Amino acid sequence: MRMLLHVCCGPCSVFPLKHLREEYPGYEITGYFYNPNIHPYKEFVRRLDTLKTFAARIGLANLIIDDSYTLEEFLREALNTSGGRCRYCYDLRMRQTARYAKEHGFDCFSTTLLVSPYQQHELIIEAAQAAAKAENIQFCYIDFRPGWQEGVQISRELEMYRQPYCGCVLSERDRYYKPRKGSG
Ligand code: SF4
């Protein structure tokens, strides 16, 4: 079984890759980095470099990197999609992953986004299922969340860069901007 595993960043890939190797030995895993939602660009590069270093360390030979950085399009669509920015963001990444998987003969796809308790798990599933249907390929759902803490611990032991916000510039604003009381 050839699985294309969408990888959102290095730290989030720690547990899913470990789990897949241990519990799905018959699967051939290929990582697929496609995340034009990471802003600003230097942050994008830092997360990608962290992933590359980790992949080399664990011997993940198959890692495909799509470094498309469609910033204007992402922000325009994220701000205007009726379902909200995260719905657009998940749809975009799952649709591209499903498309790539189909075009390159994979049997199924999944995503490391499913490890994080801070992501909108149900929305990710919806986006992946819709992408699977549109591209006529299987979405392999695995709830990686029980391994979240284990992944965090390992990533800390390896001194991996752990990002403090989700990805887009809006999430960075939400993380750091605290309006002063009484201002305006
Ligand atoms: S908060 Fe995260 S999931 Fe939502 S749009 Fe921004 S980067 Fe994407």
CSV table of all heavy atoms in Angstrom, one decimal, residues 3 10 28-29 35 41 50 56 67 71 73 81 88 104 107 110 121 131 133 136 145 150 158 161 174 177 180:
chain,number,residue,atom,x,y,z
A,3,MET,N,1.2,5.1,0.6
A,3,MET,CA,0.5,6.2,1.1
A,3,MET,C,1.2,7.5,0.9
A,3,MET,O,2.4,7.6,1.2
A,3,MET,CB,0.2,6.0,2.7
A,3,MET,CG,-0.4,7.2,3.3
A,3,MET,SD,-0.3,7.2,5.1
A,3,MET,CE,-1.7,6.2,5.5
A,10,GLY,N,7.7,19.6,10.8
A,10,GLY,CA,8.5,18.6,11.4
A,10,GLY,C,7.9,18.0,12.7
A,10,GLY,O,7.7,16.8,12.8
A,28,GLU,N,4.1,1.8,2.4
A,28,GLU,CA,5.2,2.5,2.0
A,28,GLU,C,4.8,4.0,2.1
A,28,GLU,O,3.9,4.5,1.4
A,28,GLU,CB,5.6,2.2,0.5
A,28,GLU,CG,6.8,2.9,-0.1
A,28,GLU,CD,6.9,2.6,-1.6
A,28,GLU,OE1,6.8,1.5,-2.0
A,28,GLU,OE2,7.1,3.6,-2.3
A,29,ILE,N,5.5,4.7,2.9
A,29,ILE,CA,5.1,6.1,3.2
A,29,ILE,C,6.0,7.1,2.5
A,29,ILE,O,7.2,7.1,2.5
A,29,ILE,CB,5.2,6.4,4.7
A,29,ILE,CG1,4.5,5.3,5.6
A,29,ILE,CG2,4.7,7.8,5.0
A,29,ILE,CD1,3.0,5.3,5.4
A,35,ASN,N,2.3,23.5,2.0
A,35,ASN,CA,1.7,24.4,3.1
A,35,ASN,C,1.9,25.9,2.8
A,35,ASN,O,2.7,26.6,3.5
A,35,ASN,CB,2.4,24.1,4.4
A,35,ASN,CG,2.2,22.6,4.8
A,35,ASN,OD1,1.1,22.2,5.1
A,35,ASN,ND2,3.2,21.8,4.8
A,41,TYR,N,7.5,34.4,5.0
A,41,TYR,CA,8.2,33.4,4.3
A,41,TYR,C,9.4,32.8,5.1
A,41,TYR,O,9.7,31.6,4.9
A,41,TYR,CB,8.7,34.0,3.0
A,41,TYR,CG,9.4,33.0,2.1
A,41,TYR,CD1,8.8,31.9,1.6
A,41,TYR,CD2,10.8,33.1,1.9
A,41,TYR,CE1,9.4,31.0,0.8
A,41,TYR,CE2,11.5,32.2,1.1
A,41,TYR,CZ,10.8,31.1,0.6
A,41,TYR,OH,11.5,30.2,-0.2
A,50,THR,N,13.4,22.5,9.3
A,50,THR,CA,13.2,21.6,10.4
A,50,THR,C,12.8,20.2,10.0
A,50,THR,O,13.3,19.2,10.4
A,50,THR,CB,12.3,22.2,11.4
A,50,THR,OG1,12.7,23.5,11.8
A,50,THR,CG2,12.1,21.3,12.7
A,56,ALA,N,15.9,13.5,7.4
A,56,ALA,CA,17.2,12.9,7.1
A,56,ALA,C,17.6,12.1,8.4
A,56,ALA,O,18.2,11.0,8.2
A,56,ALA,CB,18.2,14.0,6.9
A,67,ASP,N,7.2,23.7,-2.8
A,67,ASP,CA,7.4,24.9,-2.1
A,67,ASP,C,6.6,26.1,-2.7
A,67,ASP,O,7.0,27.3,-2.6
A,67,ASP,CB,8.9,25.2,-1.9
A,67,ASP,CG,9.6,25.4,-3.3
A,67,ASP,OD1,8.9,25.2,-4.3
A,67,ASP,OD2,10.8,25.7,-3.3
A,71,LEU,N,1.0,33.5,-1.7
A,71,LEU,CA,0.6,34.3,-0.6
A,71,LEU,C,-0.6,35.1,-0.9
A,71,LEU,O,-1.6,35.1,-0.1
A,71,LEU,CB,1.8,35.2,-0.2
A,71,LEU,CG,1.5,36.1,1.0
A,71,LEU,CD1,1.2,35.3,2.3
A,71,LEU,CD2,2.7,37.0,1.3
A,73,GLU,N,-2.9,34.8,-3.2
A,73,GLU,CA,-4.1,34.0,-3.4
A,73,GLU,C,-4.6,33.4,-2.1
A,73,GLU,O,-5.8,33.3,-1.8
A,73,GLU,CB,-3.7,32.9,-4.4
A,73,GLU,CG,-4.9,31.9,-4.7
A,73,GLU,CD,-4.5,30.8,-5.6
A,73,GLU,OE1,-3.4,30.9,-6.3
A,73,GLU,OE2,-5.2,29.8,-5.6
A,81,THR,N,-13.6,33.2,1.8
A,81,THR,CA,-14.4,31.9,1.8
A,81,THR,C,-15.4,32.0,2.9
A,81,THR,O,-15.1,32.3,4.1
A,81,THR,CB,-13.4,30.7,2.0
A,81,THR,OG1,-12.5,30.7,1.0
A,81,THR,CG2,-14.2,29.4,2.0
A,88,TYR,N,-11.0,26.9,4.2
A,88,TYR,CA,-10.3,27.1,2.9
A,88,TYR,C,-8.9,26.5,3.0
A,88,TYR,O,-8.5,25.8,2.1
A,88,TYR,CB,-10.2,28.6,2.6
A,88,TYR,CG,-9.2,28.8,1.5
A,88,TYR,CD1,-9.5,28.4,0.2
A,88,TYR,CD2,-8.0,29.4,1.8
A,88,TYR,CE1,-8.6,28.6,-0.8
A,88,TYR,CE2,-7.0,29.5,0.8
A,88,TYR,CZ,-7.3,29.2,-0.5
A,88,TYR,OH,-6.4,29.3,-1.5
A,104,HIS,N,0.1,10.4,-9.2
A,104,HIS,CA,1.4,9.7,-9.1
A,104,HIS,C,1.2,8.3,-8.6
A,104,HIS,O,2.1,7.7,-8.1
A,104,HIS,CB,2.3,10.5,-8.2
A,104,HIS,CG,2.8,11.8,-8.8
A,104,HIS,ND1,2.0,12.9,-8.8
A,104,HIS,CD2,3.8,12.1,-9.6
A,104,HIS,CE1,2.6,13.9,-9.4
A,104,HIS,NE2,3.7,13.4,-10.0
A,107,ASP,N,-2.0,4.8,-3.4
A,107,ASP,CA,-3.2,4.1,-3.1
A,107,ASP,C,-4.1,4.9,-2.2
A,107,ASP,O,-5.3,4.7,-2.2
A,107,ASP,CB,-2.9,2.7,-2.5
A,107,ASP,CG,-2.1,1.9,-3.3
A,107,ASP,OD1,-2.5,1.6,-4.5
A,107,ASP,OD2,-1.0,1.5,-2.9
A,110,SER,N,-3.1,10.7,3.6
A,110,SER,CA,-3.5,11.1,4.9
A,110,SER,C,-2.7,12.4,5.3
A,110,SER,O,-2.1,12.9,4.4
A,110,SER,CB,-3.2,10.0,5.9
A,110,SER,OG,-3.9,10.3,7.2
A,121,HIS,N,-10.1,19.1,14.1
A,121,HIS,CA,-10.1,17.7,13.6
A,121,HIS,C,-11.2,17.4,12.6
A,121,HIS,O,-11.0,16.8,11.6
A,121,HIS,CB,-10.1,16.8,14.8
A,121,HIS,CG,-9.5,15.5,14.6
A,121,HIS,ND1,-8.2,15.2,14.6
A,121,HIS,CD2,-10.1,14.3,14.3
A,121,HIS,CE1,-8.0,13.9,14.3
A,121,HIS,NE2,-9.2,13.3,14.2
A,131,ALA,N,-11.9,15.9,-0.7
A,131,ALA,CA,-10.8,15.8,-1.7
A,131,ALA,C,-10.7,14.4,-2.2
A,131,ALA,O,-10.5,14.2,-3.4
A,131,ALA,CB,-9.5,16.2,-1.0
A,133,LYS,N,-13.1,12.3,-2.6
A,133,LYS,CA,-14.2,12.0,-3.5
A,133,LYS,C,-13.9,12.7,-4.8
A,133,LYS,O,-14.1,12.2,-5.9
A,133,LYS,CB,-15.5,12.6,-2.9
A,133,LYS,CG,-16.7,12.2,-3.6
A,133,LYS,CD,-18.0,12.6,-2.8
A,133,LYS,CE,-19.2,12.2,-3.6
A,133,LYS,NZ,-20.4,12.8,-3.0
A,136,ASN,N,-11.1,10.9,-6.5
A,136,ASN,CA,-11.3,9.5,-6.7
A,136,ASN,C,-10.1,8.7,-6.1
A,136,ASN,O,-9.5,7.9,-6.8
A,136,ASN,CB,-11.6,9.1,-8.1
A,136,ASN,CG,-12.1,7.6,-8.2
A,136,ASN,OD1,-12.6,7.1,-7.3
A,136,ASN,ND2,-11.8,7.0,-9.4
A,145,ARG,N,-4.1,11.7,17.4
A,145,ARG,CA,-4.0,12.5,18.6
A,145,ARG,C,-3.6,11.9,19.9
A,145,ARG,O,-2.9,12.5,20.7
A,145,ARG,CB,-5.4,13.2,18.8
A,145,ARG,CG,-5.7,14.3,17.8
A,145,ARG,CD,-7.1,14.8,17.9
A,145,ARG,NE,-8.1,13.8,17.7
A,145,ARG,CZ,-9.4,14.0,17.8
A,145,ARG,NH1,-9.9,15.3,18.0
A,145,ARG,NH2,-10.3,13.0,17.6
A,150,GLU,N,3.5,12.3,23.2
A,150,GLU,CA,4.7,11.6,22.9
A,150,GLU,C,5.5,12.3,21.8
A,150,GLU,O,6.8,12.4,21.9
A,150,GLU,CB,4.4,10.2,22.4
A,150,GLU,CG,5.6,9.3,22.2
A,150,GLU,CD,5.1,7.9,21.7
A,150,GLU,OE1,4.0,7.5,21.9
A,150,GLU,OE2,6.0,7.2,21.2
A,158,LEU,N,14.9,16.1,20.7
A,158,LEU,CA,15.7,16.3,19.4
A,158,LEU,C,16.0,17.8,19.2
A,158,LEU,O,16.6,18.1,18.2
A,158,LEU,CB,14.9,15.7,18.2
A,158,LEU,CG,14.7,14.2,18.2
A,158,LEU,CD1,13.9,13.8,17.0
A,158,LEU,CD2,16.0,13.5,18.3
A,161,TYR,N,12.8,22.8,16.2
A,161,TYR,CA,12.1,24.1,16.3
A,161,TYR,C,10.6,23.8,16.4
A,161,TYR,O,10.1,23.1,15.5
A,161,TYR,CB,12.4,25.0,15.1
A,161,TYR,CG,11.5,26.2,15.0
A,161,TYR,CD1,11.4,27.1,16.0
A,161,TYR,CD2,10.6,26.3,13.9
A,161,TYR,CE1,10.5,28.2,15.9
A,161,TYR,CE2,9.7,27.3,13.7
A,161,TYR,CZ,9.7,28.3,14.7
A,161,TYR,OH,8.8,29.3,14.6
A,174,ASP,N,-3.5,36.5,16.0
A,174,ASP,CA,-4.4,36.0,17.1
A,174,ASP,C,-3.5,35.6,18.3
A,174,ASP,O,-3.9,35.7,19.5
A,174,ASP,CB,-5.2,34.9,16.7
A,174,ASP,CG,-6.3,35.3,15.7
A,174,ASP,OD1,-6.5,36.6,15.6
A,174,ASP,OD2,-6.9,34.5,15.0
A,177,TYR,N,-1.4,39.5,19.3
A,177,TYR,CA,-2.0,40.8,19.5
A,177,TYR,C,-3.0,40.8,20.6
A,177,TYR,O,-4.0,40.1,20.5
A,177,TYR,CB,-2.6,41.2,18.1
A,177,TYR,CG,-3.3,42.5,18.2
A,177,TYR,CD1,-2.7,43.7,18.6
A,177,TYR,CD2,-4.7,42.6,17.9
A,177,TYR,CE1,-3.3,44.9,18.6
A,177,TYR,CE2,-5.4,43.8,18.0
A,177,TYR,CZ,-4.7,45.0,18.3
A,177,TYR,OH,-5.3,46.2,18.4
A,180,ARG,N,-5.3,46.7,23.7
A,180,ARG,CA,-5.3,47.4,25.0
A,180,ARG,C,-6.7,47.8,25.4
A,180,ARG,O,-7.5,48.3,24.6
A,180,ARG,CB,-4.4,48.6,24.9
A,180,ARG,CG,-2.9,48.3,25.1
A,180,ARG,CD,-2.1,49.6,24.9
A,180,ARG,NE,-2.2,50.1,23.5
A,180,ARG,CZ,-1.9,51.3,23.2
A,180,ARG,NH1,-1.4,52.1,24.1
A,180,ARG,NH2,-2.1,51.8,22.0
